[in-house]
Amino acid sequence: MGLGSGGSSSNTGGYSSSDVYLLAKVIAAEARGESYTGQVAVGAVVLNRVDSSSFPDTVAGVVYQKGAFSAVTDSNWSVAPDNTSRKAAQDAINGWDPTGGAIYYYNPAKTSNRWIRTRPVVTTIGRHVFCK
């Protein structure tokens, strides 16, 4: 059940095919070059936000929330989801959350945002720090 140790099923967990595609797209744009676990982690953060009362309650609402994901407004957004990002999206939907419930992440080498650095850190995966 979402452990990511085998092939992904096609269960969409109540999400539409466009939600799955959008989740894969944000994974491809935000986590390109990260390990597979890091890619699933980015997807899990999006889904954790959908489940949180502090954020919009849809994948599109979370992904397109102003300022939420820098890749949505830069050239990374034109990257099409590949098979790996699609599988990572499916594993996140199936319940694999390597972040332990994180709702934020950042790359400390790339962010100058002081606020994000005040958030309680849950884990670090690759170049991303995941926090609550």
Side-chain angles (χ1 to χ4, degrees), residues 68-81:
F69 299 98
S70 61
V72 172
T73 58
D74 67 23
S75 61
N76 288 328
W77 196 241
S78 64
V79 174

Side-chain angles (χ1 to χ4, degrees), residues 12-110:
T12 59
Y15 292 97
S16 70
S17 59
S18 61
D19 288 335
V20 177
Y21 177 84
L22 186 57
L23 187 60
K25 187 165 178 66
V26 78
I27 290 167
E30 290 275 328
R32 185 177 48 215
E34 292 293 326
S35 69
Y36 185 73
T37 300
Q39 291 180 45
V40 175
V42 166
V45 166
V46 172
L47 298 178
N48 290 342
R49 288 185 181 190
V50 170
D51 290 341
S52 169
S53 62
S54 299
F55 294 92
D57 61 0
T58 65
V59 172
V62 166
V63 169
Y64 292 117
Q65 186 175 25
K66 184 176 172 140
F69 299 98
S70 61
V72 172
T73 58
D74 67 23
S75 61
N76 288 328
W77 196 241
S78 64
V79 174
D82 61 10
N83 287 337
T84 302
S85 59
R86 289 174 188 265
K87 183 178 181 303
Q90 191 62 59
D91 277 342
I93 286 169
N94 287 347
W96 184 21
D97 182 359
T99 76
I103 55 173
Y104 302 104
Y105 66 89
Y106 64 96
N107 181 331
K110 292 185 176 183

Side-chain angles (χ1 to χ4, degrees), residues 101-126:
I103 55 173
Y104 302 104
Y105 66 89
Y106 64 96
N107 181 331
K110 292 185 176 183
T111 189
S112 60
N113 183 299
R114 289 183 180 175
W115 177 85
I116 194 68
R117 293 175 184 266
T118 68
R119 307 307 305 163
V121 173
V122 178
T123 192
T124 299
I125 303 170

